[in-house]
Amino acid sequence: MRNALSFSIVPPISNVRYLLASYEFSGFLPIWRRWVLSEAIQVAFGQPLAKPSACRPISASTAGGPDTVRGYTEDTLGPVDTNGNPYGGNLLTVARTELILPLPEKWQTSARGSLFFDMGNVFSTDQTTFVGSDLETPSAINSAIMR
């Protein structure tokens, strides 16, 4: 089992001030013989500390891809900008469950078989909005999903 908690604060000497907090859990549970259940949870949150500051784009969370939610193209879950490009958000939630299957001894060192279920998304809790394709109509970005 592994638990990780981290906090990052940009010091007051910077023009852009924000707080980042994240928690990660991962664990393995032997079920029977070489059958193993794996569970992972990840939550991250960013918050600006001064107005009109915002979390810088590099700090914005994105999800999708082999390290977060498998089955989606990398970094495509969550809010999108006016052009439909992934924008990222300040709240990331991911949960992954995986049943690791035993493989014949011939393949054990080079491959792994598993059944998995991943879920998660990225949200923008700061009520940022973009305009639609007509460049006038407001468009909420809280749960847009691209594939």
Side-chain angles (χ1 to χ4, degrees), residues 14-83:
S14 173
N15 291 338
V16 179
R17 296 176 48 206
Y18 57 90
L19 162 75
L20 295 176
S22 68
Y23 171 73
E24 293 181 40
F25 165 83
S26 61
F28 295 91
L29 177 66
I31 296 188
W32 179 67
R33 294 191 182 189
R34 293 185 343 231
W35 294 71
V36 177
L37 184 66
S38 168
E39 179 67 33
I41 296 170
Q42 180 181 5
V43 178
F45 180 74
Q47 179 69 39
L49 296 176
K51 302 238 179 211
S53 181
C55 288
R56 61 191 175 115
I58 194 72
S59 302
S61 295
T62 57
D67 295 326
T68 54
V69 183
R70 294 169 279 197
Y72 287 89
T73 305
E74 186 130 5
D75 300 334
T76 57
L77 290 176
V80 295
D81 66 13
T82 301
N83 299 315

Side-chain angles (χ1 to χ4, degrees), residues 38-124:
S38 168
E39 179 67 33
I41 296 170
Q42 180 181 5
V43 178
F45 180 74
Q47 179 69 39
L49 296 176
K51 302 238 179 211
S53 181
C55 288
R56 61 191 175 115
I58 194 72
S59 302
S61 295
T62 57
D67 295 326
T68 54
V69 183
R70 294 169 279 197
Y72 287 89
T73 305
E74 186 130 5
D75 300 334
T76 57
L77 290 176
V80 295
D81 66 13
T82 301
N83 299 315
N85 299 314
Y87 176 74
N90 64 327
L91 176 61
L92 166 75
T93 59
V94 173
R96 300 165 49 115
T97 301
E98 183 174 10
L99 177 62
I100 302 170
L101 308 172
L103 291 178
E105 200 167 315
K106 173 182 175 181
W107 296 317
Q108 285 180 4
T109 59
S110 60
R112 180 170 88 180
S114 67
L115 301 172
F116 65 86
F117 180 79
D118 294 351
M119 62 182 168
N121 206 347
V122 175
F123 303 93
S124 178

